[in-house]
Amino acid sequence: MIRFICVSVFLILFLILSIPIFLIEWLIGKFDRQKRDYSSLRIVQWGFKVILKITGVEATVIGEENIPDEPVLFVGNHRSFFDILLTYSRCRRLTGYVAKKEMEKIPLLSTWMHFVYCLFLDRENPREGLKSILQAIEQIQNGISICIFPEGTRNKGEELSMLPFKDGAFKIATRTNCAIIPISMNNTSAIFEDHLPKIKKVHVVIEYGKPIYPNDLEKEEKRHIGAYVQEIIRTTIQKNAKIV
């Protein structure tokens, strides 16, 4: 419970103390947008790293060398709020995460999310959902990576299970032929979700798969690209369950 309190206090202070930083970042952006983008990225990453330090989480990371130095589509399984902190804190390039629309209503947090190119997906409105996918395609074309969890929500089932992947997410890659990087995560729900509201010090495994370029796939693989990528992640989390 102490870790939960410490994380909550840090998050509240971080957001409140960010208010003058927003102005500074806005001014920097007026003169050098790229400098503002990367300073915002590093500030948010610093905050996430502090939170992860408080939780005491130990992460085994495999395959980071598989990520090319170009805009990519990160695709991962999703069982915990901490999936975002664990992966975003490791991004080398500008990367926008696709989040649920409700998060846009959270004061200060949503400001940071806009600064770091997050997109807000309305899961109840297909037309708005398509608009978010088109925005993600545009971001890839502008050199910004995208991370999405195609299950559409956190999977609350058993550890090695996954919800079906939603195919719409993969249009981001098929329309741009950017590399898809599968992210397979084990044991992340053990940090928090398995025993709310306690935060526990646990060991997690994150593996980045080899890049998948849609145009290099066989016709059937490309037609069912969501299932193809999901099977890679499923096989990987089953393999890595032995080292958690």
Side-chain angles (χ1 to χ4, degrees), residues 168-187:
F170 293 91
K171 290 179 181 177
I172 300 166
T174 56
R175 296 276 186 91
T176 61
N177 196 41
C178 72
I180 299 169
I181 304 295
I183 307 178
S184 307
M185 290 177 278
N186 288 72
N187 208 38

Side-chain angles (χ1 to χ4, degrees), residues 153-219:
T153 188
R154 284 180 298 114
N155 174 19
K156 299 175 185 177
E158 59 185 45
E159 169 64 19
L160 299 181
S161 68
M162 279 193 289
L163 302 173
F165 276 12
K166 298 184 185 299
D167 289 333
F170 293 91
K171 290 179 181 177
I172 300 166
T174 56
R175 296 276 186 91
T176 61
N177 196 41
C178 72
I180 299 169
I181 304 295
I183 307 178
S184 307
M185 290 177 278
N186 288 72
N187 208 38
T188 58
S189 62
I191 302 171
F192 182 54
E193 283 77 7
D194 290 351
H195 36 70
L196 298 170
K198 293 182 180 179
I199 292 176
K200 290 191 176 181
K201 179 181 178 179
V202 300
H203 175 231
V204 302
V205 180
I206 306 167
E207 180 163 346
Y208 295 88
K210 292 182 178 179
I212 302 164
Y213 291 92
N215 289 350
D216 292 344
L217 297 176
E218 298 293 331
K219 187 175 181 180

Side-chain angles (χ1 to χ4, degrees), residues 52-150:
L52 291 171
K53 189 75 173 177
I54 294 170
T55 66
V57 172
E58 296 179 6
T60 295
V61 181
I62 303 167
E64 267 191 302
E65 69 278 3
N66 290 324
I67 306 171
D69 186 19
E70 61 192 47
V72 303
L73 175 65
F74 292 106
V75 172
N77 60 311
H78 190 28
R79 293 184 52 80
S80 173
F81 293 118
F82 282 90
D83 296 340
I84 298 163
L85 280 71
L86 287 160
T87 53
Y88 191 77
S89 60
R90 309 193 71 86
C91 291
R92 295 191 295 266
R93 295 178 58 94
L94 296 176
T95 304
Y97 275 53
V98 178
K100 59 184 180 181
K101 185 73 174 175
E102 292 78 4
M103 294 195 72
E104 197 171 17
K105 298 176 183 177
I106 303 175
L108 303 180
L109 178 61
S110 62
T111 305
W112 274 121
M113 293 177 76
H114 280 291
F115 269 23
V116 296
Y117 292 98
C118 287
L119 298 171
F120 299 93
L121 181 65
D122 188 342
R123 295 175 292 186
E124 306 301 322
N125 187 329
R127 181 175 293 180
E128 289 299 313
L130 177 59
K131 190 182 295 184
S132 296
I133 296 299
L134 293 174
Q135 287 177 320
I137 290 169
E138 185 178 349
Q139 288 195 7
I140 290 283
Q141 292 169 337
N142 290 332
I144 301 165
S145 294
I146 295 291
C147 182
I148 193 167
F149 300 110

